[in-house]
Amino acid sequence: MLSKAQISLITSLQNKKFRKQHGLFIVEGIKSVMEFISSRYRVESIFYTGDASTKVGKISHNIKCHELTETEFQKISALKSPQGILALVKLPSQQTIVSANLKNKFSLVLDDVQDPGNLGTIIRTAEWFGIEHIICSIGTVDAYNPKVVQATMGSLARLQIYYTDLTDFIPATGLKVYGALLNGQSIYQTQWTDEGLIVMGNEGNGISEELTALIDQAITIPRIGQAESLNVAVATTIFCSEISRQKLV
């Protein structure tokens, strides 16, 4: 039986304030839940329906499991078409970024990306192309927002996500800084180095003036048609793909 206190706790985790207060976030869907169980994250408890019980049988006994009716599960799920399984996962402690860990590789830097779907897609894309670190501005949407978690399809369980003041962080790394700007060099004519930071901007305003001043090389994706702009997640995918292509050639 699902108590009112449990329902209140779980539904409150849709809000960042309560995620921080309780130190927990929500993961929904069988694939995503299984990814977090196999990761460095600590899964506190799992709520599931009878249809998902065969999957739950494979879960460690150290995790508290609660079987619910379909009606009960609907009260805690945020999805339009729930998969019948939801986990409460411990928020990781905020780690300090060690610049040495960013050497000899590319890392993504996100300047106030606001849409949860965009951030989730960027995280999933980063993992596909082997990018291990994503450094976000304080104003970027919370990576543990349920919509972000859902959009990552489990990739969040394996990537390092940081939130920091980018105006202090970027100069301290000593790395070359590439920025996605409209007036930059064509991405297809760019010769990438072996390491660096790739700065992607806000959906509506692009990269802030403060961060633009820190960019060493402005890069653009040439426009052929009449579209006014590219979605930031799509643009990030193109950047990651082009860097990967040059490395493999």
Side-chain angles (χ1 to χ4, degrees):
M1 185 75 177
L2 195 63
S3 70
K4 290 183 179 180
Q6 287 173 314
I7 295 172
S8 178
L9 167 63
I10 296 168
T11 55
S12 76
L13 299 179
Q14 299 290 333
N15 186 298
K16 181 179 179 180
K17 171 185 173 181
F18 294 110
R19 288 195 293 274
K20 292 184 70 175
Q21 179 179 317
H22 297 291
L24 296 169
F25 67 98
I26 298 169
V27 178
E28 281 206 63
I30 291 171
K31 181 183 183 300
S32 293
V33 169
M34 298 306 290
E35 295 280 12
F36 276 92
I37 288 172
S38 303
S39 74
R40 68 187 187 280
Y41 284 83
R42 178 183 168 188
V43 177
E44 294 275 300
S45 54
I46 292 175
F47 299 84
Y48 64 95
T49 62
D51 289 343
S53 60
T54 55
K55 301 289 185 181
V56 175
K58 302 176 183 178
I59 292 173
S60 167
H61 294 299
N62 294 327
I63 301 172
K64 297 176 184 178
C65 294
H66 310 269
E67 185 168 354
L68 308 179
T69 65
E70 295 287 347
T71 301
E72 287 178 315
F73 194 84
Q74 289 284 353
K75 294 178 180 178
I76 60 172
S77 175
L79 302 181
K80 291 182 179 179
S81 301
Q83 295 182 27
I85 186 166
L86 177 152
L88 300 185
V89 184
K90 190 75 174 174
L91 278 173
S93 56
Q94 179 63 42
Q95 297 181 341
T96 302
I97 310 168
V98 179
S99 295
N101 293 339
L102 307 180
K103 298 290 185 181
N104 303 312
K105 63 186 70 174
F106 283 93
S107 301
L108 291 174
V109 175
L110 306 182
D111 183 19
D112 287 7
V113 170
Q114 296 294 296
D115 184 79
N118 282 339
L119 179 56
T121 300
I122 288 170
I123 291 171
R124 190 176 177 186
T125 297
E127 187 187 22
W128 179 269
F129 287 103
I131 290 177
E132 301 170 6
H133 304 275
I134 299 178
I135 301 95
C136 304
S137 66
I138 301 300
T140 294
V141 62
D142 181 21
Y144 300 99
N145 177 307
K147 292 180 180 179
V148 176
V149 177
Q150 185 69 20
T152 71
M153 294 296 290
S155 290
L156 179 61
R158 292 177 290 273
L159 265 64
Q160 295 287 343
I161 314 293
Y162 306 93
Y163 285 80
T164 190
D165 183 330
L166 297 181
T167 55
D168 292 335
F169 161 75
I170 290 176
T173 66
L175 295 169
K176 185 168 183 177
V177 183
Y178 299 88
L181 295 167
L182 290 175
N183 59 348
Q185 179 185 43
S186 168
I187 190 172
Y188 304 116
Q189 296 174 349
T190 301
Q191 295 298 311
W192 303 91
T193 57
D194 293 328
E195 61 182 14
L197 303 176
I198 306 165
V199 183
M200 308 301 295
N202 171 270
E203 289 89 343
N205 302 315
I207 299 172
S208 66
E209 291 183 5
E210 292 82 2
L211 294 191
T212 297
L214 301 177
I215 290 172
D216 299 310
Q217 186 165 353
I219 299 175
T220 190
I221 299 169
R223 181 176 65 175
I224 298 173
Q226 299 301 311
E228 182 179 331
S229 62
L230 266 182
N231 172 277
V232 65
V234 172
T236 302
T237 300
I238 294 171
F239 269 71
C240 292
S241 178
E242 184 60 17
I243 292 171
S244 178
R245 185 191 68 81
Q246 286 199 20
K247 284 186 175 181
L248 294 173
V249 169

